[in-house]
Amino acid sequence: MTKIIYVQPDSTRVTVDAAPGDSVMSAALAGDVDGITAECGGNMMCATCHVHVEESLADRLPAMCDDEDQMLACTAAPRTATSRLSCRLPVTDALDGTVVTVPGDPS
Ligand code: FES
């Protein structure tokens, strides 16, 4: 299993055991992680799976495609340089111990 650690806006950490074939989004749903609702089910049409990733993760993640880049313009919380759609991030052994941050509600 691959441990993915989700940091909530209040700094609470939720650790989820994920498996190859999962995405960072689907693992969050399975682990009842607050703030990741994934309304479109991973079809890159909602941006409700927005997370911030560690900068050091960049070389272990797939490159961002144009569709993801455009969808990140629609996030509820502000986009940052480390924003990704968690449905686009496949779980691999290389991600074990990865920390992703769930953006807070800007309202
Ligand atoms: Fe909708 Fe990722 S789940 S864009």
Side-chain angles (χ1 to χ4, degrees), residues 18-19 23 37 40 44 46 53 55-56 61 66 68 94 98 107:
S23 66
T37 57
C40 77
M44 221 167 14
C46 71
V53 300
E55 286 183 34
S56 60
L61 297 175
D66 289 344
E68 180 181 1
T98 287
S107 59

Side-chain angles (χ1 to χ4, degrees), residues 60-71:
R60 289 180 274 159
L61 297 175
M64 185 183 299
C65 68
D66 289 344
D67 288 343
E68 180 181 1
D69 188 34
Q70 291 173 12
M71 188 53 61

Side-chain angles (χ1 to χ4, degrees), residues 6 24-33 36-38 41:
Y6 300 85
V24 173
M25 174 276 281
S26 66
L29 293 183
D32 290 328
V33 174
I36 297 179
T37 57

Side-chain angles (χ1 to χ4, degrees), residues 22-93:
D22 291 339
S23 66
V24 173
M25 174 276 281
S26 66
L29 293 183
D32 290 328
V33 174
D34 285 341
I36 297 179
T37 57
E39 292 172 8
C40 77
N43 291 308
M44 221 167 14
M45 298 177 67
C46 71
T48 59
C49 64
H50 178 205
V51 294
H52 296 153
V53 300
E54 299 169 291
E55 286 183 34
S56 60
L57 266 184
D59 62 347
R60 289 180 274 159
L61 297 175
M64 185 183 299
C65 68
D66 289 344
D67 288 343
E68 180 181 1
D69 188 34
Q70 291 173 12
M71 188 53 61
L72 281 168
C74 305
T75 56
R79 177 181 183 171
T80 72
T82 61
S83 287
R84 295 296 303 260
L85 296 178
S86 58
C87 66
R88 298 293 102 193
L89 305 178
V91 170
T92 64
D93 290 343

